[in-house]
Amino acid sequence: MPPVPSRRTVLTVTAAAAAAAVTGVAVPAALADDQRIPDDTLRALISRMSLEEKVGQLFVMRVYGHSATAPDQADVDANLKEIGVRTAAELIERYHVGGIIYFSWAHNTRDPLQIAELSNGIQRAGLAQPTPIPLLVSTDQEHGIVCRVGEPATLLPGAMALGAGGSHADARKAAQIAGAELAAVGIRQNYAPVADVNVNPANPVIGVRSFGADPEAVAAMVAAQVRGYQQGGVAATSKHFPGHGDTATDSHYGLPTITHTRAQWSALDAPPFRAAIAAGIDSIMTAHIVVPALDPSEDPATLSRPILTGILREQLGYDGVVVTDSLGMEGVRTKYGDERVPVLALKAGVDQLLNPPSLSVAWNAVLAAVKGGELTEARLDESILRILRLKAKLGLFKDPYVSAAGIDRTVGTAAHLAHADRIAERTTTLLVNEGGFLPVSRRSHPKVLVVGADPASPSGTTGPPTTTLAGALTELGFTARALPTGTAPTAAKIEEAVAAAAGQDLVVVGTYNVTATSSQRTLVARLVATGVPVVTIALRNPYDVARITGQRATLAGYSWTDVELRAAVRVLAGRAEPQGRLPVPVQDAADPAKVLYPVGYGLGYR
């Protein structure tokens, strides 16, 4: 891979050209210092854009490959198949897209230096267009169970873990670290924090991605993270408006309906979005959900003018960028065809159209809608102005590039990693501790068997969980062995685990979304019956504790990323105090009206 160019080299070649493209003259020192460009100047830039360039500026698109100009052949083939171009540079040249979204599965995020060079290549392609405009590179780096940029970048606790920690300062610091590291590799728009209030334990898509079930507590955490991300130099995005926390359907695969009344929505779902707006949120992502109380037409919110313009713009007073959730998700494709979705989204009040399944179909549909009079060019100009304002605020017109030196100063530093560890320790929640069994020591319980689920690791967060837990115990002086048993352990695997428990002093079981019929319950019961003490660690949702009995202790870790698993082990071994408190209630599995562990519950060692 070619080296990332130095800041001095890159700026000498193109930054002045970028500034001149916007203003027509060199950027004055004062303007460069505050990063802002007057609206009149931005409107003048828009007036020089062709209609095709305007349409392109509204799209944020995926592209395969680690390089903007020289991706691997498999990625060239994928781009040709899905987009009709070979590279990111060709994508920008053909469609004039205003943004690119990075995914690990698209091979965009191998390591920090590679990501930075990809970002710089994308910016070079944008500034080589007839109307040179920097691109807004984005990703989903929520941390916890949703990450696109992995080690050696700093991995931090996710939203529900931070909610359990309850510290606004920790939430803000986590976002500031995350934002600074993203900005260092050229990612300037992060689709976080999640502002959904998770009141449905069966929610298949939000869950631990939410800060919790209390609207005001979630609102405070969202506001803290918005400020942290902005302090770190990236645009924060609260999602998924008007609120995805009470769904039993995953909008990736279906169209959920929220049955809240207007009053319930205002009390439950709206507070975090109001807080985000008050904190100066840069962008808000829409949800592919139906809320009949807010729009009787039952259009998904992404396509609903009453929701996006009537409520978000007019009632809540938001005038920042509105971005759709991925237009490839089934929730937005259920009611209308792919050629209608982008047009209807723009008519509803959207600014950025994210990741359509076919860019050619979506791009040409918007172009045709303008030429046919369904959309006006002035309507496009409104959205483009918001997008350009955000790019200007981020300083992209002044300096769109990143450097190797900036990565070295920022990404995965010892200070950032230490902060992540300390924050994670403050989130681990002790739910069960029979007879004060925890903490355990390497002297009293030296031999430990670690069994349980090994869910697929969020991008680059290493793992798997059983190996990570056993490794962390070994580092603390225990003799630990990992035996993965899976999310649905077979009878043979359960027998293997029971046999392996013989002669051990402790068994640690990593549980993962335990259901009433899950064989994970049988695994725990059989291990308990051996007489060896059993400690369970909920690797994802804390609701597991309601379906498991007989264990001596239960910890909630809220994610299976290494930083949270290592923290849970330090708590288990008494190297850290359990300080987390449940941010969601845990209901009785047999009687959901009965709460076993309320919001705020959590045990300590003293």
Side-chain angles (χ1 to χ4, degrees), residues 2-152:
V4 177
S6 70
R7 181 175 298 273
R8 181 181 300 276
T9 300
V10 172
L11 294 184
T12 299
V13 175
T14 57
V22 178
T23 62
V25 296
V27 179
L31 182 60
D33 286 343
D34 68 13
Q35 312 290 334
R36 298 185 184 277
I37 298 173
D39 278 359
D40 286 348
T41 304
L42 295 176
R43 290 191 180 97
L45 173 61
I46 294 170
S47 71
R48 297 199 295 272
M49 297 168 65
S50 68
L51 177 58
E52 289 77 10
E53 288 176 316
K54 289 182 178 182
V55 171
Q57 195 64 208
L58 305 174
F59 284 93
V60 180
M61 189 59 184
R62 70 188 179 280
V63 67
Y64 290 86
H66 71 286
S67 164
T69 55
D72 295 338
Q73 186 60 48
D75 292 321
V76 171
D77 294 342
N79 285 328
L80 286 169
K81 180 180 178 181
E82 295 187 18
I83 313 172
V85 299
R86 290 173 174 79
T87 67
E90 287 186 16
L91 167 66
I92 295 162
E93 181 180 10
R94 179 176 299 184
Y95 290 104
H96 318 291
V97 293
I100 297 287
I101 179 172
Y102 287 172
F103 293 105
S104 54
W105 51 259
H107 310 140
N108 304 139
T109 57
R110 291 181 178 177
D111 62 74
L113 287 174
Q114 167 269 316
I115 299 170
E117 177 54 31
L118 174 60
S119 299
N120 285 345
I122 285 169
Q123 298 299 357
R124 285 191 288 270
L127 296 178
Q129 297 308 299
T131 307
I133 298 176
L135 277 83
L136 191 54
V137 177
S138 61
T139 200
D140 294 279
Q141 188 80 346
E142 298 173 14
H143 288 273
I145 70 169
V146 177
C147 289
R148 310 299 186 209
V149 180
E151 292 186 338

Side-chain angles (χ1 to χ4, degrees), residues 56-57 59-62 92 96-102 119 122-123 126 133-139 186-191 233-237 282-283 321 323 352 354 384 386-397 400:
Q57 195 64 208
F59 284 93
V60 180
M61 189 59 184
R62 70 188 179 280
I92 295 162
H96 318 291
V97 293
I100 297 287
I101 179 172
Y102 287 172
S119 299
I122 285 169
Q123 298 299 357
I133 298 176
L135 277 83
L136 191 54
V137 177
S138 61
T139 200
I187 299 172
R188 302 302 299 278
Q189 184 179 25
N190 189 22
Y191 298 136
V234 300
T237 307
D282 296 298
S283 48
V321 170
V323 56
Q352 288 184 309
L354 178 62
I384 296 168
R386 292 190 185 101
I387 294 165
L388 296 187
R389 278 178 186 151
L390 181 52
K391 292 181 179 183
K393 177 183 176 182
L394 293 168
L396 288 170
F397 286 106

